[in-house]
């Protein structure tokens, strides 16, 4: 099973986004994670459709768009048109996400489901094999640089236990040198990293280091 580091551009330098994306491509990134916040579902704003379009024009890497929005259904089409390849919605605002998954697939993207640390994994388990990506939050979403909530590990294990092999198992928030091994050991294969990667002076070296930490801790 291959393990991917999925860089979160929230930790990029937005005045030099293209430079940071090139650094990530050069480091070996195979996917990019884009955090969309509405100031309502989460207590923060990030960036929106024009920035996703600009990123799309800049790179061929698949774009994994994490919608931290109270009303994701309104924005699926605009974000897909902007270039999203994966569109993930939170279970907290879509308790039965199957309709949204259908819409996302119809638009030609891969649907994902996300859960916050206090949300029991049982809320997402019924939908794991209806989507292409299951994202477990390691922090309450809204801000980069927070510390990892270990409740995520048991949730990842539970998802891994029932997920078909082609479902990506992702984790987001607080994933770094201290926690990436445990996430991979629990079964995560798409590891979102913001601060622990883009906050470092040598991104290429850090990308290799985080990859090594993740792959040398085999799934148990
Ligand atoms: C949290 C976002 C994350 C965030 C991760 O609201 O969903 O993607 O950028 O940042 P780090 O890796 O710094 O915890
Ligand atoms: Zn995210």
């Amino acid at each position: 099973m291959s393990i991917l580091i999925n860089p979160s551009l929230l930790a990029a330098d937005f005045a030099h986004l293209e430079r940071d994306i090139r650094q990530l491509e050069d480091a070996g990134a195979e996917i990019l994670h884009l955090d969309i916040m509405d100031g309502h579902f989460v207590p923060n704003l990030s960036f929106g459709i024009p920035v996703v379009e600009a990123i799309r024009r800049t790179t061929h890497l698949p774009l994994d768009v994490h919608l931290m929005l109270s009303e994701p259904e309104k924005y699926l089409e605009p974000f897909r048109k902007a270039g999203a390849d994966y569109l993930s919605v939170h279970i907290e605002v879509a308790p039965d996400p199957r309709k949204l998954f259908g819409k996302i697939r119809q638009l030609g993207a891969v649907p994902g489901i996300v859960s916050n640390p206090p949300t029991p994994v049982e809320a997402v388990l019924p939908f794991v094999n209806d989507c292409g990506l299951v994202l477990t939050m390691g922090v309450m979403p809204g801000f980069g640089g927070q510390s990892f909530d270990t409740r995520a590990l048991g949730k990842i294990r539970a998802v891994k236990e029932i997920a078909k092999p082609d479902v990506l198992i992702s984790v987001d928030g607080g994933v770094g040198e201290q926690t990436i091994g445990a996430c991979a050991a629990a079964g995560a294969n798409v590891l979102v990293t913001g601060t622990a990667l883009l906050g470092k002076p040598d991104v290429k070296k850090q990308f290799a280091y985080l990859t090594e930490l993740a792959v040398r801790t085999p799934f148990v």
Side-chain angles (χ1 to χ4, degrees), residues 52-162:
V52 176
E53 281 169 352
I55 294 168
R56 179 71 297 161
R57 286 195 300 272
T58 306
T59 181
H60 295 298
L61 291 178
L63 302 180
D64 165 31
V65 175
H66 174 191
L67 298 174
M68 285 164 271
L69 308 176
S70 293
E71 297 182 288
E73 61 280 4
K74 284 191 181 169
Y75 302 97
L76 299 175
E77 192 166 350
F79 277 107
R80 171 61 184 150
K81 281 192 174 146
D85 297 290
Y86 293 80
L87 280 166
S88 296
V89 298
H90 272 262
I91 190 82
E92 293 82 9
V93 294
D96 185 347
R98 279 176 288 212
K99 228 173 109 182
L100 297 185
F101 291 169
K103 176 90 194 279
I104 293 166
R105 286 198 203 277
Q106 217 175 57
L107 292 165
V110 178
I113 191 71
V114 196
S115 69
N116 285 339
T119 301
V121 71
E122 288 71 25
V124 299
L125 291 180
F127 311 110
V128 163
N129 291 310
D130 293 333
C131 61
L133 178 142
V134 180
L135 175 59
T136 302
M137 293 306 299
V139 302
M140 277 307 281
F143 300 90
Q146 305 180 72
S147 38
F148 185 76
D149 184 327
T150 51
R151 281 180 291 183
L153 297 174
K155 293 173 70 176
I156 295 167
R157 264 185 235 111
V159 170
K160 169 74 186 170
E161 220 161 85
I162 65 155

Side-chain angles (χ1 to χ4, degrees), residues 33 35 66 68 172:
H33 182 85
D35 285 307
H66 174 191
M68 285 164 271
D172 180 14

Side-chain angles (χ1 to χ4, degrees), residues 7-25:
S8 166
L9 292 185
L10 195 61
D13 177 347
F14 286 101
H16 298 99
L17 203 43
E18 183 170 10
R19 178 203 66 191
D20 285 8
I21 290 170
R22 293 286 167 262
Q23 274 181 358
L24 292 166
E25 288 173 340

